[in-house]
Protein backbone atom coordinates (compact mmCIF):
# COMPACT_ATOMS: atom_id res chain seq x y z
CA UNK A 1 0.00 0.00 0.00
CA UNK A 2 2.85 2.40 0.84
CA UNK A 3 4.43 1.64 -2.52
CA UNK A 4 1.16 2.38 -4.30
CA UNK A 5 0.73 5.64 -2.39
CA UNK A 6 4.30 6.66 -3.19
CA UNK A 7 3.81 5.87 -6.87
CA UNK A 8 0.54 7.81 -7.00
CA UNK A 9 2.13 10.81 -5.30
CA UNK A 10 5.12 10.78 -7.62
CA UNK A 11 2.91 10.23 -10.67
CA UNK A 12 0.78 13.21 -9.67
CA UNK A 13 3.78 15.40 -8.96
CA UNK A 14 5.74 14.58 -12.11
CA UNK A 15 3.01 13.87 -14.67
CA UNK A 16 -0.15 15.63 -13.58
CA UNK A 17 1.10 18.95 -12.26
CA UNK A 18 1.88 21.50 -14.92
CA UNK A 19 3.13 24.16 -12.59
CA UNK A 20 2.33 27.06 -10.37
CA UNK A 21 0.92 30.32 -11.60
CA UNK A 22 0.52 33.58 -9.79
CA UNK A 23 -1.77 35.77 -11.87
CA UNK A 24 -2.73 38.61 -9.50
CA UNK A 25 -3.44 36.22 -6.67
CA UNK A 26 -2.21 33.22 -4.72
CA UNK A 27 -0.06 30.49 -6.23
CA UNK A 28 -2.20 28.00 -8.13
CA UNK A 29 -1.08 24.45 -8.85
CA UNK A 30 -2.56 23.09 -12.07
CA UNK A 31 -3.25 19.35 -12.20
CA UNK A 32 -4.33 17.49 -15.34
CA UNK A 33 -6.11 14.13 -15.43
CA UNK A 34 -7.83 12.05 -18.07
CA UNK A 35 -11.57 11.57 -17.57
CA UNK A 36 -12.29 8.33 -15.69
CA UNK A 37 -8.86 8.24 -13.98
CA UNK A 38 -8.03 8.84 -10.33
CA UNK A 39 -6.11 11.96 -9.31
CA UNK A 40 -4.44 13.22 -6.16
CA UNK A 41 -4.95 16.89 -5.33
CA UNK A 42 -1.90 17.91 -3.28
CA UNK A 43 -2.08 19.87 -0.03
CA UNK A 44 0.43 19.86 2.81
CA UNK A 45 1.33 22.14 5.66
CA UNK A 46 4.64 23.87 5.05
CA UNK A 47 5.62 23.01 8.65
CA UNK A 48 4.94 19.28 8.10
CA UNK A 49 3.32 19.23 11.56
CA UNK A 50 0.89 16.49 12.60
CA UNK A 51 -2.69 17.32 11.54
CA UNK A 52 -4.61 14.39 13.02
CA UNK A 53 -6.37 16.77 15.45
CA UNK A 54 -6.72 19.67 12.99
CA UNK A 55 -9.43 20.86 10.62
CA UNK A 56 -8.90 21.01 6.87
CA UNK A 57 -11.56 21.73 4.31
CA UNK A 58 -11.49 21.04 0.56
CA UNK A 59 -13.95 23.05 -1.52
CA UNK A 60 -14.70 23.61 -5.19
CA UNK A 61 -16.43 26.96 -5.37
CA UNK A 62 -19.38 26.66 -3.02
CA UNK A 63 -19.34 22.85 -3.12
CA UNK A 64 -18.07 20.85 -0.17
CA UNK A 65 -15.59 18.27 -1.51
CA UNK A 66 -13.97 16.82 1.64
CA UNK A 67 -13.78 17.99 5.23
CA UNK A 68 -11.66 16.47 7.97
CA UNK A 69 -12.02 17.63 11.58
CA UNK A 70 -9.95 15.78 14.19
CA UNK A 71 -10.78 12.35 12.75
CA UNK A 72 -14.36 12.99 11.64
CA UNK A 73 -14.86 13.23 7.87
CA UNK A 74 -17.36 12.47 5.10
CA UNK A 75 -16.42 8.82 4.85
CA UNK A 76 -17.13 8.10 8.53
CA UNK A 77 -20.26 9.97 9.50
CA UNK A 78 -19.92 13.68 8.71
CA UNK A 79 -22.74 15.03 6.53
CA UNK A 80 -22.75 17.94 4.08
CA UNK A 81 -20.60 16.63 1.23
CA UNK A 82 -21.83 17.67 -2.22
CA UNK A 83 -23.51 14.77 -4.05
CA UNK A 84 -21.04 15.03 -6.95
CA UNK A 85 -18.21 13.84 -4.68
CA UNK A 86 -19.95 11.26 -2.46
CA UNK A 87 -18.17 7.91 -2.46
CA UNK A 88 -15.35 9.15 -4.73
CA UNK A 89 -13.14 11.30 -2.49
CA UNK A 90 -10.86 10.16 0.30
CA UNK A 91 -7.70 11.23 2.11
CA UNK A 92 -4.55 9.45 3.29
CA UNK A 93 -4.92 8.81 7.05
CA UNK A 94 -1.34 7.58 7.44
CA UNK A 95 0.00 10.81 5.95
CA UNK A 96 -1.72 13.13 8.45
CA UNK A 97 1.18 12.70 10.87
CA UNK A 98 3.44 14.54 8.43
CA UNK A 99 1.04 17.38 7.57
CA UNK A 100 -0.32 15.88 4.35
CA UNK A 101 -3.97 16.81 3.68
CA UNK A 102 -3.99 15.64 0.05
CA UNK A 103 -7.11 13.95 -1.29
CA UNK A 104 -7.76 11.51 -4.10
CA UNK A 105 -10.74 11.86 -6.44
CA UNK A 106 -11.62 8.54 -8.05
CA UNK A 107 -13.14 8.08 -11.49
CA UNK A 108 -12.89 11.76 -12.45
CA UNK A 109 -15.72 13.29 -14.42
CA UNK A 110 -15.70 16.32 -16.70
CA UNK A 111 -17.69 18.30 -14.11
CA UNK A 112 -14.88 17.73 -11.55
CA UNK A 113 -12.73 20.21 -13.45
CA UNK A 114 -12.35 23.62 -11.83
CA UNK A 115 -10.74 25.53 -8.99
CA UNK A 116 -10.28 23.86 -5.60
CA UNK A 117 -9.06 25.18 -2.27
CA UNK A 118 -7.56 23.29 0.64
CA UNK A 119 -8.05 25.43 3.73
CA UNK A 120 -6.78 25.18 7.31
CA UNK A 121 -9.13 27.85 8.75
CA UNK A 122 -8.10 27.49 12.41
CA UNK A 123 -4.35 27.75 11.89
CA UNK A 124 -2.55 30.98 12.73
CA UNK A 125 -1.61 32.16 10.25
CA UNK A 126 -4.34 30.58 8.16
CA UNK A 127 -2.99 28.37 5.37
CA UNK A 128 -4.81 27.89 2.07
CA UNK A 129 -3.75 26.07 -1.12
CA UNK A 130 -5.26 26.62 -4.56
CA UNK A 131 -5.50 23.83 -7.13
CA UNK A 132 -6.84 24.02 -10.68
CA UNK A 133 -8.03 20.62 -11.90
CA UNK A 134 -8.23 20.12 -15.66
CA UNK A 135 -10.10 16.98 -16.74
CA UNK A 136 -9.33 15.92 -20.30
CA UNK A 137 -12.08 14.18 -22.21
CA UNK A 138 -11.29 10.66 -23.36
CA UNK A 139 -12.79 9.27 -26.51
CA UNK A 140 -13.40 5.58 -27.09
CA UNK A 141 -12.52 4.01 -30.41
CA UNK A 142 -15.83 2.60 -31.57
CA UNK A 143 -14.89 2.00 -35.18
CA UNK A 144 -15.09 -1.75 -34.62
CA UNK A 145 -18.67 -1.41 -33.36
CA UNK A 146 -20.12 -0.15 -36.63
CA UNK A 147 -22.41 -2.76 -38.16
CA UNK A 148 -24.57 -3.03 -41.23
CA UNK A 149 -27.12 -0.67 -39.72
CA UNK A 150 -27.56 1.21 -43.01
CA UNK A 151 -28.56 -1.89 -44.98
CA UNK A 152 -32.19 -2.87 -45.26
Amino acid sequence: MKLLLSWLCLHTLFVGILGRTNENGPDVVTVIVKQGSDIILPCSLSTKERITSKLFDWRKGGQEVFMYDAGIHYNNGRSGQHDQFKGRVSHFPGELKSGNASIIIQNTRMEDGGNYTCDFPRLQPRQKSHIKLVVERTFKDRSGEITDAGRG
Side-chain angles (χ1 to χ4, degrees):
M1 185 65 179
K2 278 189 174 184
L3 182 62
L4 176 62
L5 177 60
S6 296
W7 181 87
L8 283 171
C9 288
L10 287 174
H11 178 72
T12 298
L13 291 174
F14 294 116
V15 177
I17 296 178
L18 284 181
R20 296 178 183 269
T21 56
N22 188 344
E23 299 170 7
N24 301 324
D27 282 349
V28 176
V29 174
T30 300
V31 180
I32 298 175
V33 65
K34 292 220 181 282
Q35 178 184 11
S37 298
D38 299 349
I39 189 69
I40 295 172
L41 300 186
C43 178
S44 293
L45 285 182
S46 56
T47 60
K48 305 292 185 204
E49 71 183 89
R50 179 182 213 88
I51 58 173
T52 52
S53 62
K54 305 277 189 219
L55 166 69
F56 62 88
D57 186 20
W58 277 92
R59 298 180 74 80
K60 178 187 172 210
Q63 299 173 342
E64 196 62 61
V65 177
F66 188 84
M67 182 185 287
Y68 175 96
D69 190 0
I72 306 298
H73 52 84
Y74 292 128
N75 297 334
N76 73 0
R78 176 176 286 282
S79 62
Q81 186 177 33
H82 191 276
D83 287 341
Q84 174 184 339
F85 300 103
K86 285 184 180 175
R88 297 190 309 121
V89 179
S90 57
H91 70 302
F92 302 96
E95 297 295 311
L96 297 174
K97 64 185 179 291
S98 59
N100 187 345
S102 300
I103 58 172
I104 185 167
I105 301 176
Q106 297 175 327
N107 191 25
T108 54
R109 305 172 183 164
M110 292 306 295
E111 62 266 23
D112 292 337
N115 297 313
Y116 290 75
T117 57
C118 171
D119 187 16
F120 289 87
R122 296 182 189 151
L123 286 185
Q124 294 299 326
R126 186 174 189 166
Q127 190 168 328
K128 197 178 234 187
S129 298
H130 300 270
I131 313 295
K132 179 179 180 180
L133 178 61
V134 177
V135 180
E136 295 181 335
R137 187 173 307 277
T138 54
F139 296 97
K140 291 184 178 179
D141 178 9
R142 296 190 173 194
S143 59
E145 297 177 19
I146 298 173
T147 62
D148 293 337
R151 295 185 186 177

